Amino acid sequence: MFIIALTYQKSLEEVDAHLSAHVAFLKANYAKGIFLASGRKNPRNGGIILALAASKAEIEAVIAYDPFYIHSVATYEITEFTPTMTSPELDFLINR
C-alpha cells in the first residue's frame, strides 16, 4: 500500500486550471482499483492519495499520467507501508 503526498508547486489558480483533468485521472484509477481514497490537504497546499499497487515503480508509472505531474503543478512523495491492523471494513488491506 502507498501514501502519495502531493505538494503544489504552482498557484492555486494554475492548480484549478488543471483540476478537472486531475479529477478524471483520479476517477480512472479508482475504476482500476488502484486508488482507495484521496483528498486535499488542509491548508490547501497539496493532496493525499491512498493507493494499492505491486510496487513503487507501478505507482510512479501511474503518476506519470496525472495532469498535475505532466504540467509540473505538484511534486510527489511516495511512501510504501504494510498495514498490520485495520478496522473490519479495511481487513482486505492486511497481507496484500
Side-chain angles (χ1 to χ4, degrees):
M1 181 164 200
F2 296 86
I3 300 169
I4 306 165
L6 289 74
T7 302
Y8 297 147
Q9 301 299 303
K10 304 283 176 110
S11 69
L12 288 179
E13 292 78 20
E14 189 155 351
V15 170
D16 288 341
H18 297 285
L19 190 57
S20 293
H22 173 71
V23 169
F25 160 81
L26 293 172
K27 288 180 179 181
N29 285 287
Y30 276 108
K32 293 176 186 174
I34 298 170
F35 292 169
L36 299 175
S38 59
R40 293 178 177 166
K41 292 179 183 177
N42 293 315
R44 188 179 174 206
N45 60 4
I48 300 290
I49 302 170
L50 300 181
L52 287 176
S55 67
K56 184 176 179 181
E58 184 179 333
I59 292 296
E60 290 170 338
V62 168
I63 288 170
Y65 291 95
D66 185 350
F68 282 1
Y69 178 85
I70 293 167
H71 298 285
S72 301
V73 171
T75 56
Y76 298 73
E77 179 183 349
I78 302 167
T79 303
E80 183 173 5
F81 80 102
T82 303
T84 56
M85 187 182 310
T86 66
S87 67
E89 296 83 7
L90 299 176
D91 278 347
F92 70 95
L93 296 173
I94 302 295
N95 298 318
R96 286 194 60 95

